[in-house]
Amino acid sequence: MKELNVYTLILFTVGFFFMISCEGIVPEAPDEEDLLDGPIAGLSYEEQDQFLKGDIAFNDDIFTPKTGLGPTFVAASCGSCHPGDGKGHPSTTLIRFGQTEPNITLNLKGAPQLQNRAIPGYQPEQLPEGIPSMKMTPPAVTGLGLLAALTDEQILGNADPNDEDGDGISGVPNYVTPPDYFIPEDHHQPENGKYIGRFGKKASAVNLLHQTATAYNQDIGITSTFEPKDVYSNLTIDPEVSDQVVRDVVFYLKTLKAPLQRKQNDPDILRGKEVFNILRCSSCHIPTWSTLESDIDALSNKTFYPYTDLLLHDMGPGLDDGATEGSAETYEWRTSPLWGLGLSPDSQGGKYFLMHDGRAQSIEEAILMHGGEAQNSRDQFQSLSSVEKEALIKFLESL
Amino acid sequence: MKKNLLLFLIFAQTTVTVNAQVDSSLFKDTRNDTLSAEAMNMDAVYERPFFHAGTSPVSVGGYIEAGYQYIGEDGITEGHTFRIPRFTLFVGSSLHPRIKFLSETEFEEGGKEIAIEFAALDINFSHMLNLRGGIIMNPIGAFNQNHDGPKWEFVDRPIAMTKMLPATWSNVGFGLYGKQFVNDWGFGYEIYLTNGFDNSIIANGENRTFLPAAKENAERFEESSNGQPLITGKLAVKNHNIGEIGLSYMGEIYNAFEDDGLILDEKRRLDVFAIDFNTSLEKTSTYLTGEWAWVMVDVPETYGQQFGERQQGGFLDIVQPVLRSTIAGFNNAVLNLACRLEYVDWNVGTFRETGANISDDLWAIVPGVSFRPSAQTVLRLNYRYMHQQDILGNPPAKIAGIQIGISSYF
């Protein structure tokens, strides 16, 4: 009888575990709309495979001194600066310098990016005295493929350099000299050998290969056939990352899904969206775009909601750091996409670090830092009732 | 008596001859149960079942662990996984009553990694003075030396002792040890000088200060990475009625600060302190064992906050026998309920830029059931639930699942 009881107890225990379905044992997945990572829908098996390879290279591959890290660097992996593919933290903020006016590059050692960390035994780079610099908090990297799939014509369609429509908004593209490995596509519309930049806080990277290869080089100190010069010695050295890995990462960035808006039918959020439009925030943070044909089917003919125009705007003296890139003025910044804004704290350690350098610690602070072409919108925001302000913030948090 | 039996079960100290071996008359168990009462954690390498044939001085033994798990993280699982985490062989010999040799070779994950974890010669001069030389297990904490699978009620090893401290951490070196019992009280010490760590503890694929990275450097069995010895020492006190407590230290200059006579970097120190204990509660026969360690590493200030200068972590195992009986023909079989609580913080400190806490930590709770048909064999069923946060303290990854395992000496 005693043995029977024991068997019963054992069977009960084992049965208890197996009665819980396997799916029940594993913690539930967060809602899709609460996550930034994950592939865009519609990838083929081959594309999913390449996405996974890129995911590993981006998030899991950690460089060490043995595998090429540094000697001077900012971070040891892509994922260190873009946790969960989201915005970065002040501890990984980049410092860029070397250009104080449009189209004129100073011949400064170490420019355009400060590598403020070094492997043991080496000294990190020092910012030259008296040279203006700008800090840049790493951006979220989701939905970039959709932005990359837009044509120059679409971007230029919103440019109004001379403010001919008199609305006080005069978006301009940042024309930059592309790297040697840049291969123009049919839709590109160069001007004097320069191409429209669309990635980065100053829109200084013409495409995702440019962005990725320079990030490996300037952020991690990793050379490739694309960027063969070591940032420490300024000499060419053997590639430390393969072309394939770089291309896998580019593919990963291209095919990361776009952030999804949450609670879009909430009345407060709908009211906030109205306020957003009334304040004409949407003049620069253009909500809706559609792609044409893309080399990746899943990116073709897609409508998406990044809330950006990919153009540079005068943001006023408060955001003029005295440094710049490409043809941008020091006070001009690319309209930051607002998609995923409400998920920023999930990648920034529970807090907001907004604007180009993370100086704003709330959405309201960020709005109040807008000047220049956004001055009118900011002033109108300040005159909103607290209910309207709250609705606007709720809407922005839902993005 | 009950307490001793429990100790005996937990540490799997064999007291019975093995009946199920083929032609078992060829083998003889060299152990007897009088040793267990005066056994301390420092004796773990010898507190195992060994067998020897006839009058041969050579003894052999080993243990195997195998298991199944279904674990997932935030809704994503790798599915059903069967594993053989380790298969370990012991070979020992006693050329003289006071000269012993023991080796432990481990095959991890079906031979994916093969490591000599212990291969040392012990010369006994007196109870309090023994010389040990060879590949030794550094006595930091208790788990590093006392790690055999059949001794534990949990499928996984404690995370703090394997992913913060580098169990099983062994090195080439020499040292002294000894112990003395007076009535109910026992005192033991160990002190060793060995080769040790290297730059990999702050330059590794984990993107954090990670002492176990040094295990991958097999050259430490050939030469020191920097010519500086790793000092490991431990003091332990045991009372038959209370339990055992150990205090241990391990430290050295870890980095390759010099090569070929040229200075390459400042000398950078690593210091580790640990406390371990085990006891059983008289009234309930509940067995408690735990360990906590603190790690301090001199990381270059300009290297990045990702690499913590301080770490801490440990575990507490609570094991409650609920039934001792003859079960399915196994005499003295025991059924235990067990629970492990564990915590690791790989980066203790705050961000320079924001003053906010640096996370990079993990906690886990692992309830389970274990069944011991004999003292040397354990069947375990665990449910693991843990939270792991990245360095920034973003929403934690939630990891959970079941683990089933068997482990047995043979």
Side-chain angles (χ1 to χ4, degrees), chain B residues 114-141:
Chain B
I114 301 172
I116 299 173
E117 294 193 332
F118 188 87
L121 195 66
D122 286 13
I123 303 174
N124 168 245
F125 296 103
S126 73
H127 283 308
M128 285 300 286
L129 186 62
N130 297 270
L131 174 68
R132 174 173 288 172
I135 297 176
I136 63 126
M137 281 176 191
N138 301 69
I140 185 72

Side-chain angles (χ1 to χ4, degrees), chain A residues 159-314:
Chain A
D160 185 14
N162 302 314
D163 192 19
E164 287 174 5
D165 61 6
D167 66 350
I169 308 292
S170 58
V172 293
N174 187 1
Y175 281 99
V176 294
T177 305
D180 296 342
Y181 51 85
F182 171 69
I183 300 171
E185 295 176 48
D186 292 343
H187 71 78
H188 282 122
Q189 298 182 14
E191 195 174 282
N192 300 322
K194 295 185 176 182
Y195 287 78
I196 296 176
R198 56 180 80 188
F199 300 107
K201 309 277 183 175
K202 289 276 188 186
S204 59
V206 290
N207 65 10
L208 288 172
L209 177 60
H210 183 196
Q211 180 69 41
T212 303
T214 51
Y216 265 116
N217 190 239
Q218 296 175 8
D219 298 355
I220 314 179
I222 295 296
T223 56
S224 60
T225 59
F226 306 107
E227 297 284 348
K229 274 192 181 176
D230 174 40
V231 288
Y232 180 74
S233 64
N234 204 30
L235 298 172
T236 56
I237 60 172
D238 293 340
E240 293 163 326
V241 63
S242 72
D243 285 15
Q244 187 59 55
V245 169
V246 174
R247 293 191 190 287
D248 288 343
V249 169
V250 170
F251 187 85
Y252 172 72
L253 296 174
K254 273 187 177 179
T255 52
L256 270 169
K257 71 176 190 191
L260 304 170
Q261 191 185 359
R262 297 167 308 290
K263 300 178 185 170
Q264 5 187 340
N265 297 320
D266 180 296
D268 286 347
I269 288 171
L270 289 170
R271 174 63 190 144
K273 189 175 184 179
E274 281 175 25
V275 175
F276 185 79
N277 291 325
I278 292 167
L279 265 53
R280 295 177 51 225
C281 306
S282 54
S283 297
C284 301
H285 293 285
I286 296 175
T288 310
W289 291 81
S290 293
T291 58
L292 305 175
E293 290 300 318
S294 166
D295 55 341
I296 298 169
D297 284 347
L299 296 173
S300 296
N301 304 308
K302 289 284 185 296
T303 298
F304 60 103
Y305 309 94
Y307 292 86
T308 179
D309 59 4
L310 296 176
L311 295 171
L312 299 171
H313 294 273
D314 173 1

Side-chain angles (χ1 to χ4, degrees), chain B residues 13 29 39 41 53 74 76 122 140 160 170 176 202 265 304 319 352 372 384 389 399:
Chain B
Q13 294 161 348
D29 185 353
N41 268 317
D74 291 334
I76 297 173
D122 286 13
I140 185 72
S170 53
L176 301 172
I202 59 162
D265 193 8
V319 179
R352 290 178 206 132
R372 289 185 176 272
R384 170 169 288 276
Q389 276 194 306
I399 300 152

Side-chain angles (χ1 to χ4, degrees), chain B residues 26-291:
Chain B
L26 293 174
F27 299 100
K28 187 168 75 176
D29 185 353
T30 60
R31 297 286 324 289
N32 63 65
D33 61 356
T34 57
L35 281 177
S36 60
E38 296 197 345
M40 298 174 72
N41 268 317
M42 62 187 291
D43 301 310
V45 290
Y46 285 106
E47 289 297 305
R48 296 157 157 167
F50 287 96
F51 306 95
H52 65 89
T55 56
S56 166
V58 177
S59 303
V60 296
Y63 71 89
I64 188 168
E65 285 190 88
Y68 157 87
Q69 68 178 29
Y70 186 90
I71 284 187
E73 176 180 331
D74 291 334
I76 297 173
T77 171
E78 297 293 322
H80 304 277
T81 301
F82 297 89
R83 302 173 60 214
I84 176 158
R86 52 195 64 86
F87 161 66
T88 301
L89 291 174
F90 316 136
V91 177
S93 71
S94 198
L95 302 171
H96 180 279
R98 294 167 66 186
I99 301 174
K100 294 184 291 188
F101 170 80
L102 177 68
S103 70
E104 178 180 345
T105 307
E106 185 163 287
F107 301 78
E108 289 190 9
E109 308 290 359
K112 189 173 154 189
E113 287 180 36
I114 301 172
I116 299 173
E117 294 193 332
F118 188 87
L121 195 66
D122 286 13
I123 303 174
N124 168 245
F125 296 103
S126 73
H127 283 308
M128 285 300 286
L129 186 62
N130 297 270
L131 174 68
R132 174 173 288 172
I135 297 176
I136 63 126
M137 281 176 191
N138 301 69
I140 185 72
F143 186 85
N144 197 46
Q145 290 178 308
N146 196 10
H147 58 260
D148 291 0
K151 295 180 178 179
W152 299 85
E153 313 306 308
F154 300 91
V155 174
D156 276 353
R157 290 175 164 182
I159 293 174
M161 278 55 247
T162 52
K163 299 291 183 187
M164 185 184 79
L165 296 186
T168 46
W169 174 237
S170 53
N171 282 288
V172 181
F174 290 86
L176 301 172
Y177 69 91
K179 68 174 181 181
Q180 184 71 53
F181 269 84
V182 178
N183 300 324
D184 281 339
W185 288 92
F187 167 79
Y189 79 93
E190 292 177 88
I191 185 159
Y192 301 99
L193 296 178
T194 64
N195 291 340
F197 294 90
D198 55 53
N199 289 347
S200 68
I201 66 171
I202 59 162
N204 54 68
E206 298 288 326
N207 211 16
R208 61 162 63 111
T209 300
F210 192 65
L211 272 55
K215 284 179 68 179
E216 291 175 17
N217 177 23
E219 287 184 13
R220 73 184 192 277
F221 295 115
E222 184 183 353
E223 62 176 352
S224 165
S225 67
N226 60 9
Q228 302 288 305
L230 173 66
I231 300 169
T232 315
K234 182 170 183 180
L235 298 175
V237 177
K238 180 175 181 177
N239 180 286
H240 288 146
N241 301 313
I242 302 172
E244 178 178 344
I245 186 166
L247 301 172
S248 48
Y249 166 78
M250 175 168 73
E252 65 162 345
I253 304 291
Y254 71 88
N255 65 323
F257 60 89
E258 184 185 29
D259 193 14
D260 206 16
L262 301 176
I263 303 299
L264 303 177
D265 193 8
E266 294 171 25
K267 291 181 179 178
R268 302 190 186 282
R269 281 201 64 81
L270 160 71
D271 296 286
V272 182
F273 297 89
I275 182 168
D276 62 84
F277 71 95
N278 62 74
T279 187
S280 63
L281 307 179
E282 184 95 28
K283 282 188 178 175
T284 57
S285 297
T286 310
Y287 185 75
L288 303 173
T289 185
E291 184 171 333

